[in-house]
Amino acid sequence: MGRTEFSWPRAVAVAADGSIYVADTRNNRVKRLATDGSVISIWGAGGGTTAQAGTGLGEFSNPVGIAVDANGNVLVSDYGNHRIQKLSADGTPLAQWGTYGTEPGQFAYPRGIAVAPTGEIYVAD
């Protein structure tokens, strides 16, 4: 299913079920892979080998960080949109937060992301 090419893959996260999620930065998408490396799904706007950057839920502009929480939800540092997106394991958009800025709740090009066992989310901004 889908293309296997990457352009600047920047981050990888592995879910409890073995699914591998890759932030495919220059292609403006996230790929979900099986343990054998086959593509399960591709998230992001557009089609073809390169997805268009987008601002809607489930769309990305240079995703650079990715993590999976204890419930199997995927968190993505959406660098170009200055936000974090939360998606279900199948790619359904659940939430987003952040806007451009330096105040609490704002980001200026967020990069790394991690989820603590207790559920707190840490973002390198």
Side-chain angles (χ1 to χ4, degrees):
M1 189 263 156
R3 299 212 174 256
T4 57
E5 295 90 6
F6 293 98
S7 182
W8 287 36
R10 292 280 178 105
V12 175
V14 180
D17 70 357
S19 294
I20 303 162
Y21 296 91
V22 180
D24 189 8
T25 304
R26 284 258 175 113
N27 284 327
N28 300 305
R29 60 188 178 190
V30 168
K31 285 188 178 179
R32 181 180 181 199
L33 308 173
T35 56
D36 67 1
S38 62
V39 178
I40 297 171
S41 58
I42 300 173
W43 312 338
T49 57
T50 304
Q52 298 297 312
T55 59
L57 278 174
E59 298 176 347
F60 309 100
S61 177
N62 298 313
V64 296
I66 197 160
V68 179
D69 70 16
N71 296 317
N73 296 312
V74 180
L75 295 117
V76 179
S77 294
D78 192 2
Y79 180 86
N81 286 320
H82 311 286
R83 66 182 176 185
I84 303 300
Q85 289 200 62
K86 181 178 181 178
L87 303 102
S88 69
D90 68 2
T92 302
L94 301 173
Q96 68 174 340
W97 59 93
T99 59
Y100 179 76
T102 58
E103 298 297 320
Q106 297 180 322
F107 299 104
Y109 306 101
R111 289 183 184 252
I113 188 164
V115 182
T118 53
E120 289 94 357
I121 299 166
Y122 296 91
V123 179
D125 183 27

PDB file of all heavy atoms in Angstrom, residues 1-4 39 42:
ATOM      1  N   MET A   1       0.847  -1.184   0.000  1.00  0.00           N
ATOM      2  CA  MET A   1       0.000   0.000   0.000  1.00  0.00           C
ATOM      3  C   MET A   1       0.881   1.232   0.000  1.00  0.00           C
ATOM      4  O   MET A   1       1.746   1.359   0.829  1.00  0.00           O
ATOM      5  CB  MET A   1      -0.876  -0.035   1.263  1.00  0.00           C
ATOM      6  CG  MET A   1      -1.963   0.992   1.359  1.00  0.00           C
ATOM      7  SD  MET A   1      -1.492   2.415   2.319  1.00  0.00           S
ATOM      8  CE  MET A   1      -2.616   3.586   1.630  1.00  0.00           C
ATOM      9  N   GLY A   2       0.714   2.113  -0.929  1.00  0.00           N
ATOM     10  CA  GLY A   2       1.406   3.390  -0.923  1.00  0.00           C
ATOM     11  C   GLY A   2       2.879   3.293  -1.273  1.00  0.00           C
ATOM     12  O   GLY A   2       3.429   2.229  -1.462  1.00  0.00           O
ATOM     13  N   ARG A   3       3.508   4.415  -1.360  1.00  0.00           N
ATOM     14  CA  ARG A   3       4.908   4.506  -1.732  1.00  0.00           C
ATOM     15  C   ARG A   3       5.799   4.302  -0.518  1.00  0.00           C
ATOM     16  O   ARG A   3       5.435   4.618   0.591  1.00  0.00           O
ATOM     17  CB  ARG A   3       5.164   5.869  -2.347  1.00  0.00           C
ATOM     18  CG  ARG A   3       4.345   6.103  -3.597  1.00  0.00           C
ATOM     19  CD  ARG A   3       5.144   6.985  -4.505  1.00  0.00           C
ATOM     20  NE  ARG A   3       4.510   7.144  -5.775  1.00  0.00           N
ATOM     21  CZ  ARG A   3       4.922   6.512  -6.868  1.00  0.00           C
ATOM     22  NH1 ARG A   3       5.914   5.677  -6.825  1.00  0.00           N
ATOM     23  NH2 ARG A   3       4.326   6.733  -8.003  1.00  0.00           N
ATOM     24  N   THR A   4       6.981   3.812  -0.762  1.00  0.00           N
ATOM     25  CA  THR A   4       7.922   3.583   0.327  1.00  0.00           C
ATOM     26  C   THR A   4       9.059   4.593   0.350  1.00  0.00           C
ATOM     27  O   THR A   4       9.928   4.506   1.193  1.00  0.00           O
ATOM     28  CB  THR A   4       8.512   2.164   0.233  1.00  0.00           C
ATOM     29  OG1 THR A   4       9.123   2.013  -1.042  1.00  0.00           O
ATOM     30  CG2 THR A   4       7.442   1.125   0.435  1.00  0.00           C
ATOM     31  N   VAL A  39       4.337  -0.682   4.081  1.00  0.00           N
ATOM     32  CA  VAL A  39       3.545   0.497   4.415  1.00  0.00           C
ATOM     33  C   VAL A  39       2.105   0.085   4.732  1.00  0.00           C
ATOM     34  O   VAL A  39       1.440  -0.565   3.921  1.00  0.00           O
ATOM     35  CB  VAL A  39       3.558   1.521   3.259  1.00  0.00           C
ATOM     36  CG1 VAL A  39       2.686   2.725   3.582  1.00  0.00           C
ATOM     37  CG2 VAL A  39       4.978   1.958   2.961  1.00  0.00           C
ATOM     38  N   ILE A  42      -0.417   6.055   5.029  1.00  0.00           N
ATOM     39  CA  ILE A  42       0.307   7.310   4.885  1.00  0.00           C
ATOM     40  C   ILE A  42      -0.660   8.429   5.235  1.00  0.00           C
ATOM     41  O   ILE A  42      -1.776   8.465   4.730  1.00  0.00           O
ATOM     42  CB  ILE A  42       0.831   7.497   3.449  1.00  0.00           C
ATOM     43  CG1 ILE A  42       1.782   6.365   3.068  1.00  0.00           C
ATOM     44  CG2 ILE A  42       1.516   8.850   3.301  1.00  0.00           C
ATOM     45  CD1 ILE A  42       2.215   6.379   1.619  1.00  0.00           C
TER      46      ILE A  42
END
